[in-house]
Amino acid sequence: MENITNTTLEKIQQHIEPLRQEIIQHKVYGVINDLEDLRIFMEYHIYAVWDFMSLLKALQINLTCTSIPWFPVGSGNTRSLINEIVAGEESDVDALGNKKSHFEMYLDAMEQCGADISAIGRFIDALKSGETMNAAYQAAGTPVEARDFVDFTFQVIHGKQAHVQASTFTFGREDLIPNMFLTMVNDLNQKFPDQISLFKYYLDRHIEVDGDHHSHLALEMTAELCGINEAHWIAAEEMSMESLRKRTRLWDGAYQAIMNRKKQ
């Protein structure tokens, strides 16, 4: 079974590679030339950082017992895998040595950079007060591309299919940060260390934790949940590809917003 599973994982990775390359080579990275461009990009990207955490918690709810009374749910292996990923994403160490989620670390980076965090704040506050997702979008003035991205993620969440959630998490949300973007951030950090250092730390930490250790855990989790069920593997690939298409559209929105700013 292990050989079959590994072969299937490799096939999915091969099939989604063109979509991954569209994101890695996206034109948005080439137009981020100053702090204001980066701020606009971050104001779009924050929605992907937030709903990543929501997808992660949906997996934890699906694969472990999060209610009382407690009962063993699923396999001990998948429980271990998802709990380890959650711990790393929800309570990592920030640049000052404080325990924070990656979402909170990103917000800190946005504040330091001078990006607007009021919109995502209104979005979160609206949801906390019991408003619908659409009402939260309206309160925040969320860009349509970000709405579509989050709506797809919550379609996966509400579907409650663990194998689909896991595959979307693993293949659709894995590390997609190109070297050219990292080089640009490093250059900006040298010029403006008081405004970029937290974002640089976030990216470095994201690559270190998510791009290495967590990606291996996620692959193992997806493989176990799909097993030898061909229908599960087909759904896993289809939803992963759609997730990548949504990310491309999110980047399209950020690109257009940056270009509109440059024309002013």
Side-chain angles (χ1 to χ4, degrees), residues 43 46-47 116-125 136 139-143:
E43 288 161 16
I46 186 62
Y47 285 94
D116 178 20
I117 65 168
S118 64
I120 189 67
R122 292 193 300 273
F123 176 77
I124 296 295
D125 288 344
T142 306

Side-chain angles (χ1 to χ4, degrees), residues 12 55-56 58-59 62-63 82 151-173 218 221-227 229-244:
I12 290 180
L55 180 58
L56 174 65
L59 269 166
N62 227 346
L63 299 178
I82 192 60
D151 281 345
F152 173 77
T153 301
F154 274 80
Q155 175 189 336
V156 172
I157 289 171
H158 294 317
K160 297 183 179 180
Q161 293 181 299
H163 63 283
V164 170
Q165 292 174 351
S167 60
T168 303
F169 180 89
T170 302
F171 298 114
R173 307 299 293 269
M221 176 175 62
T222 300
E224 178 158 335
L225 290 169
C226 289
N229 188 316
E230 185 177 356
H232 281 12
W233 283 111
I234 292 172
E237 181 175 328
E238 289 177 349
M239 296 301 275
S240 298
M241 294 179 76
E242 185 60 21
S243 178
L244 291 169

Side-chain angles (χ1 to χ4, degrees), residues 3 6 19 34 55 65 68 87 89 109 146 159 164 180 216 220 248:
N3 289 336
N6 288 338
L19 291 172
D34 55 31
L55 180 58
C65 184
I68 299 172
E89 297 286 347
V164 170
M180 64 177 291
H216 295 302
E220 186 178 345
T248 298

Side-chain angles (χ1 to χ4, degrees), residues 142-208:
T142 306
V144 63
E145 297 85 359
R147 294 185 184 200
D148 289 345
F149 187 88
V150 173
D151 281 345
F152 173 77
T153 301
F154 274 80
Q155 175 189 336
V156 172
I157 289 171
H158 294 317
K160 297 183 179 180
Q161 293 181 299
H163 63 283
V164 170
Q165 292 174 351
S167 60
T168 303
F169 180 89
T170 302
F171 298 114
R173 307 299 293 269
E174 64 178 312
D175 177 43
L176 296 166
I177 303 173
N179 288 331
M180 64 177 291
F181 184 62
L182 297 174
T183 300
M184 179 275 298
V185 171
N186 287 333
D187 290 343
L188 283 178
N189 185 51
Q190 290 181 350
K191 296 177 183 177
F192 310 103
D194 293 336
Q195 291 179 275
I196 303 295
S197 63
L198 293 183
F199 187 52
K200 181 181 182 304
Y201 178 88
Y202 169 86
L203 291 176
D204 290 341
R205 191 67 183 152
H206 181 73
I207 292 170
E208 178 183 353

Side-chain angles (χ1 to χ4, degrees), residues 74-107:
S75 76
N77 191 45
T78 54
R79 290 197 297 266
S80 174
L81 292 168
I82 192 60
N83 283 334
E84 184 172 349
I85 296 173
V86 168
E89 297 286 347
E90 201 170 34
S91 52
D92 200 3
V93 180
D94 73 3
L96 299 177
N98 301 311
K99 292 288 188 180
K100 286 187 179 179
S101 69
H102 284 188
F103 174 75
E104 291 165 310
M105 288 164 61
Y106 201 96
L107 285 180

